[in-house]
Amino acid sequence: MVNFGNLSQVFAFIFSLASMAFLLTGLMKNDMRFIESGRRSLYGLALFTTLASIALGYLFITDSFQVEYVASYSDRALPMFYKVTAFWAGQKGSLLFWAWVLTVFTAIVVRNTRTDLKSRNTPYIYLVLATTASFFLLLLTSLSNPFALLGFIPKDGQGLNPMLQNPGMIFHPPTLFLGYIGFTIPFAYAVSAMVIGKLDETWLRKTRRWNVLSWVFLTIGIILGGQWAYVELGWGGYWAWDPVENASFIPWLIATAFIHSAIIQERRNIMKVWNMVLIVLTFVSCLFGTYLVRSGVLQSVHDFGATGLGGYFLVFMIVILLGGIYLIAESYNDLRTKHSLESYLSRESTFLFNNVLFLAIAFSTLFGTIFPLISEAVTGNKLTVSQPFFNQVNTPLFLILLLLTGICPLIGWRKASADNLRKNFLVPALAAVIGAIALFIAGIREFYPLTAFSLSIFVIVTIFNEFRGGTMARRKLTGEPVFTAFPRLLYKMRRRYGGYIVHLGVVIIVIGITGSSAYKLETQGTLYKGESIKIGDYELRYDDLRGYRDRNRDIYAATLKVFKNGKPAGTISPERRYYINAEKPTTEVSLRTGLIEDLYVTMPGIGENEEITLKVTVNPLLIWIWIGGFLMVAGGIIAILPNRKKKGDYNEID
Amino acid sequence: MKKSVKKTVIAVMLIVAGVGFLIYKGISETGVYYLTVNEVIAADPESFNDRGIRVSGKVVEGSTNYNQRDLLLTFTVRDLDDETKTMKVTYTGVVPDAFKPDVEVILEGSYDRESNTFSATTLLAKCPSKYKTEETGEKE
């Protein structure tokens, strides 16, 4: 199997190089036969990366510890599910996963464009995709080979890091990767559009589904990562502005800006240059994300260790960036539009400000992430920033974005009249003000929470108004009852209403983040049996501690009786786990989640006399982050649902 | 340029300037020095005390003392490269799972020169990296 995997990788590499060669020859000689060969090679490429991936999966399942990668991330006692998913637990497997998904996506593009072969841009799209695949296969077949052997057969593997033995962690990396990889395709379309000079919005229409789908995957990946951090890492939070978290957040921010500005180009035929800039930046930031995770340049909770890969990624990114700048500069005159913004009071200008703000947040996040490197190089002063910096800089920017989310649907395209504004703003603004007063009386008096909550009310009311208005209009038109009219409206105008559902999800996340960060309670202490610890309305009494062996780990579980306002409210049971193969114990969070607040308990220490150290956190409204995240994903999927019958309406883009 | 476009450009420029200001302010208010143990004990602490210090070093074997009841931890940390440069550390709170002798730690807090003691408000322990355990594995 090792040889089979190795050979498959090498064949895949050969096919990707062959495809590039065929396509280039075909383009130079203007010979369709070569282009057809280049196209077919891409299918071969996908086939062999698939075979290589199957081989690696097989090696994991069969405990083939003579393979270094398998020995490093698996062991005999590991449950089968985690053996399969250990595939992407480390760098080498992750790169193979990248190459595999990219080439499968490529095969899908090749199939979808089989009738477009004559159109001039198609070969360039193939060429960009084949080149990207070649880059990853070059790494896989040389520096970072997952099939490399140890030279001896160890009795057992090192085992999978216990922190990764969690269902959320299983899907977090691959979904992020799917997002990263997905943006290769719009990038390829953009490059080919610039090369042949067909600079209208065709490339945007053709790739809209790829864009939104990749964005959905990035969103899922980021949310799963946060959830994993929350339930597994045991520090009571979900986001720490860690370099690797930022590396996934920056592409998300730029991609979100891109999805918005693409809408303006489709609607108003402006911002062509801007969109080209954004898609290049999105793709480069996706590579940067992969690079940051895999290079060991920055210290992070994701401790992967340094390898020689960084330099290759850096070179590839610089090539992409310079190539992108060159192409945009070359086609700049054709990209410039005759149309321009008609008024700063218009829907398109809210989109523009939205773009500026998303990029500003992306920039400040990038700046804070690489600041330690810059600071030392430029000033010699080793100044560094962490969480407080990101919170301080980004919170006001996010709040302005939130305000824009509410304003945008209230303002018409092109130019809004004062009358129209007054009419549309009255109700939401009034609701926000009343809400703010009510919250103030209820005791929420700090500036940021009060602002965030009242802006959230403002946005929710505007979105609700949009849904209500649309449903009523449809009801009037068709005579359908509300419960039929609403879902039909949703489907009929799914781009628009899907977008609003995403916005609703964002607002709900804002509420969750505000509640859980501004009103978090935290305490810690060491208890002997029978003693209690208090936090907020809760009191936790330590009753029992027991230990037992479970598969590949020893578990110590404490039982604590929970009292809320003096009344019994069930038990909670944090654990400490000693995995056979791990050097250190792990704490298992015991979590009681609710719509109002989460009670979050970890047990970071057990003493000789069965005294336990507890860390207890109360996180208000935290569950709404996951609910909002679910809505964002659902809205994104609604926005790209395929058409059932009619072709050619506004929803149909292909 | 049309008036409306001009206004928009001005608004965008204002946002950009605002963001620049936020970043500048953020760094001057929240930035901390990232130093080695050697740099901390050698330098004039006055120059650091306006900001916090983040320092990385190694836990000296046999120096740790943990009072679990009061969550009070004291240990000695040494410079990563120079074993002779050490300082005492006091920390109140939960000890990370990965904390143990000879492991690399990252501390945040302030340094008192007279007692050669670093009062840490946060304590992070670096997991021994996968690659190191592999090396020891091969020797067996």
Side-chain angles (χ1 to χ4, degrees):
Chain A
M1 250 318 164
V2 176
N3 289 336
F4 179 74
N6 258 324
L7 266 179
S8 301
Q9 279 194 149
V10 172
F11 273 123
F13 189 36
I14 292 170
F15 267 98
S16 69
L17 292 178
S19 175
M20 285 171 69
F22 282 134
L23 290 167
L24 279 172
T25 317
L27 284 166
M28 277 189 299
K29 292 190 171 173
N30 204 7
D31 187 335
M32 280 313 289
R33 286 173 307 176
F34 281 102
I35 288 172
E36 179 60 26
S37 305
R39 192 181 84 91
R40 284 173 188 224
S41 307
L42 291 174
Y43 283 131
L45 170 61
L47 174 71
F48 280 105
T49 54
T50 306
L51 290 178
S53 302
I54 291 171
L56 188 60
Y58 179 84
L59 291 169
F60 267 108
I61 292 170
T62 53
D63 296 328
S64 309
F65 300 127
Q66 74 275 26
V67 179
E68 186 203 352
Y69 186 71
V70 177
S72 311
Y73 293 98
S74 180
D75 60 27
R76 290 185 201 284
L78 196 66
M80 182 55 73
F81 178 66
Y82 292 118
K83 275 185 190 169
V84 178
T85 52
F87 190 115
W88 51 70
Q91 167 193 276
K92 296 171 176 177
S94 297
L95 288 181
L96 178 58
F97 185 78
W98 240 98
W100 178 45
V101 175
L102 176 65
T103 52
V104 170
F105 281 0
T106 302
I108 295 171
V109 170
V110 168
R111 168 141 185 91
N112 286 347
T113 50
R114 65 194 179 282
T115 49
D116 295 350
L117 208 56
K118 289 251 155 53
S119 82
R120 281 174 51 224
N121 63 339
T122 313
Y124 291 103
I125 296 171
Y126 297 161
L127 190 58
V128 174
L129 293 172
T131 310
T132 312
S134 300
F135 169 70
F136 280 94
L137 285 162
L138 170 69
L139 296 182
L140 283 167
T141 47
S142 58
L143 269 178
S144 181
N145 186 350
F147 299 102
L149 295 172
L150 273 174
F152 66 99
I153 304 177
K155 277 195 223 100
D156 203 353
Q158 309 263 331
L160 184 63
N161 183 339
M163 289 196 298
L164 303 183
Q165 297 184 30
N166 167 290
M169 199 52 195
I170 294 313
F171 298 108
H172 159 68
T175 39
L176 262 188
F177 280 155
L178 285 172
Y180 285 164
I181 303 160
F183 280 112
T184 318
I185 287 153
F187 172 75
Y189 272 83
V191 167
S192 77
M194 286 192 282
V195 171
I196 63 161
K198 188 173 184 320
L199 295 163
D200 57 8
E201 70 281 5
T202 319
W203 73 275
L204 283 174
R205 287 186 187 278
K206 294 233 183 222
T207 57
R208 192 183 76 89
R209 289 221 164 89
W210 284 109
N211 285 329
V212 178
L213 193 67
S214 307
W215 179 90
V216 165
F217 278 124
L218 275 188
T219 309
I220 298 175
I222 291 170
I223 290 167
L224 281 180
Q227 203 160 27
W228 170 76
Y230 185 58
V231 301
E232 192 65 29
L233 293 185
W235 53 279
Y238 42 84
W239 187 264
W241 297 102
D242 179 85
V244 175
E245 292 171 352
N246 295 347
S248 67
F249 194 44
I250 292 168
W252 184 89
L253 290 163
I254 301 175
T256 309
F258 172 63
I259 285 176
H260 284 93
S261 73
I263 295 173
I264 315 188
Q265 185 175 338
E266 279 188 59
R267 281 297 288 250
R268 300 271 290 107
N269 202 20
I270 54 178
M271 300 178 94
K272 286 180 180 173
V273 182
W274 187 240
N275 279 323
M276 288 297 176
V277 172
L278 284 183
I279 187 60
V280 172
L281 283 182
T282 303
F283 184 57
V284 170
S285 66
C286 285
L287 289 172
F288 180 71
T290 316
Y291 162 71
L292 211 55
V293 177
R294 300 306 178 208
S295 67
V297 152
L298 292 158
Q299 292 199 340
S300 150
V301 292
H302 300 63
D303 209 339
F304 294 106
T307 53
L309 278 190
Y312 288 79
F313 261 101
L314 215 54
V315 169
F316 190 58
M317 273 158 52
I318 289 169
V319 168
I320 299 279
L321 199 60
L322 291 181
I325 292 170
Y326 171 78
L327 280 173
I328 293 171
E330 277 291 294
S331 41
Y332 182 71
N333 279 327
D334 301 318
L335 281 170
R336 281 177 59 183
T337 35
K338 288 121 221 149
H339 311 273
S340 70
L341 219 52
E342 284 175 35
S343 163
Y344 69 98
L345 264 186
S346 64
R347 190 171 286 190
E348 44 272 53
S349 78
T350 64
F351 274 71
L352 180 72
F353 289 129
N354 137 315
N355 265 239
V356 176
L357 284 163
F358 269 115
L359 286 192
I361 297 169
F363 177 75
S364 75
T365 307
L366 174 69
F367 189 80
T369 310
I370 59 173
F371 182 69
L373 303 177
I374 304 174
S375 160
E376 196 175 355
V378 177
T379 65
N381 246 340
K382 291 185 198 166
L383 215 49
T384 181
V385 294
S386 54
Q387 284 200 57
F389 169 82
F390 295 101
N391 289 333
Q392 185 175 330
V393 175
N394 288 343
T395 307
L397 300 176
F398 275 120
L399 288 178
I400 301 172
L401 261 179
L402 185 63
L403 176 67
L404 280 178
T405 313
I407 291 176
C408 175
L410 302 178
I411 294 189
W413 292 101
R414 288 163 191 274
K415 193 171 172 27
S417 71
D419 234 23
N420 148 286
L421 285 181
R422 212 172 296 129
K423 205 180 78 195
N424 291 343
F425 270 95
L426 191 64
V427 176
L430 216 57
V433 170
I434 294 170
I437 293 170
L439 288 168
F440 189 83
I441 293 169
I444 293 174
R445 302 201 175 157
E446 296 86 352
F447 176 73
Y448 276 140
L450 192 61
T451 314
F453 283 134
S454 46
L455 282 177
S456 301
I457 296 172
F458 176 72
V459 182
I460 288 175
V461 173
T462 60
I463 295 171
F464 178 76
N465 266 345
E466 285 292 319
F467 281 127
R468 194 186 55 105
T471 310
M472 290 307 151
R474 184 174 171 90
R475 213 171 81 135
K476 223 175 193 175
L477 205 71
T478 60
E480 293 162 346
V482 175
F483 288 107
T484 325
F486 179 65
R488 287 200 180 153
L489 173 83
L490 214 61
Y491 182 72
K492 182 100 185 149
M493 302 184 73
R494 53 193 172 279
R495 277 190 73 165
R496 182 162 165 194
Y497 287 100
Y500 287 145
I501 290 174
V502 173
H503 286 176
L504 192 63
V506 171
V507 178
I508 290 172
I509 288 182
V510 168
I511 292 172
I513 292 175
T514 309
S516 62
S517 57
Y519 301 100
K520 177 180 191 162
L521 300 173
E522 219 172 358
T523 188
Q524 51 199 26
T526 300
L527 306 178
Y528 286 95
K529 272 186 190 159
E531 290 183 318
S532 298
I533 190 168
K534 278 186 191 169
I535 184 167
D537 301 336
Y538 293 95
E539 191 178 339
L540 281 71
R541 193 182 70 209
Y542 170 34
D543 282 349
D544 192 26
L545 181 75
R546 65 205 166 86
Y548 57 97
R549 167 54 80 80
D550 171 46
R551 281 202 317 267
N552 55 352
R553 60 207 179 183
D554 288 321
I555 297 180
Y556 290 91
T559 310
L560 294 134
K561 195 146 180 57
V562 182
F563 298 91
K564 192 177 184 186
N565 296 318
K567 289 177 201 136
T571 61
I572 206 157
S573 180
E575 293 176 1
R576 216 163 152 68
R577 295 180 173 175
Y578 298 81
Y579 282 80
I580 296 162
N581 254 325
E583 296 193 6
K584 63 186 185 69
T586 61
T587 55
E588 188 69 10
V589 178
S590 184
L591 174 66
R592 176 120 57 119
T593 193
L595 294 180
I596 306 289
E597 61 193 13
D598 283 9
L599 177 64
Y600 185 101
V601 184
T602 57
M603 180 167 61
I606 301 176
E608 285 163 11
N609 301 310
E610 301 207 330
E611 70 269 38
I612 56 168
T613 302
L614 283 187
K615 194 169 172 225
V616 188
T617 314
V618 175
N619 283 313
L621 300 177
L622 196 136
I623 198 178
W624 295 96
I625 296 174
W626 319 131
I627 295 174
F630 175 79
L631 272 178
M632 283 177 79
V633 170
I637 291 170
I638 288 173
I640 50 172
L641 282 179
N643 233 8
R644 253 185 311 193
K645 26 187 180 186
K646 259 199 314 192
K647 281 211 161 182
D649 73 344
Y650 187 59
N651 279 307
E652 187 57 38
I653 292 304
D654 298 331
Chain B
M1 215 189 306
K2 273 165 66 178
K3 206 171 150 202
S4 65
V5 177
K6 221 178 217 165
K7 276 187 188 168
T8 312
V9 169
I10 290 170
V12 169
M13 279 163 64
L14 281 177
I15 294 177
V16 170
V19 172
F21 176 70
L22 279 174
I23 291 179
Y24 172 76
K25 200 162 151 270
I27 284 171
S28 51
E29 285 174 9
T30 68
V32 295
Y33 290 104
Y34 195 3
L35 305 167
T36 62
V37 174
N38 193 9
E39 285 168 320
V40 173
I41 56 180
D44 173 18
E46 285 297 304
S47 59
F48 299 131
N49 276 354
D50 52 335
R51 300 171 189 279
I53 307 173
R54 181 187 295 185
V55 56
S56 56
K58 261 199 174 155
V59 180
V60 175
E61 279 206 79
S63 72
T64 57
N65 185 344
Y66 182 46
N67 177 340
Q68 199 190 352
R69 184 66 173 174
D70 302 323
L71 302 178
L72 194 69
L73 174 73
T74 56
F75 60 97
T76 307
V77 68
R78 69 166 175 86
D79 192 89
L80 288 176
D81 303 318
D82 186 351
E83 280 185 39
T84 63
K85 309 283 191 207
T86 62
M87 62 180 184
K88 281 179 266 180
V89 179
T90 61
Y91 167 76
T92 308
V94 166
V95 177
D97 292 335
F99 181 87
K100 61 179 185 182
D102 213 36
V103 87
E104 189 184 338
V105 287
I106 297 169
L107 309 160
E108 252 178 72
S110 57
Y111 177 67
D112 176 54
R113 181 152 218 176
E114 256 167 45
S115 58
N116 188 28
T117 302
F118 191 87
S119 312
T121 50
T122 52
L123 164 64
L124 299 172
K126 274 191 83 173
C127 311
S129 87
K130 201 84 206 184
Y131 295 92
K132 277 179 200 154
T133 54
E134 255 168 49
E135 277 163 26
T136 53
E138 278 173 61
K139 278 174 203 153
E140 283 168 8

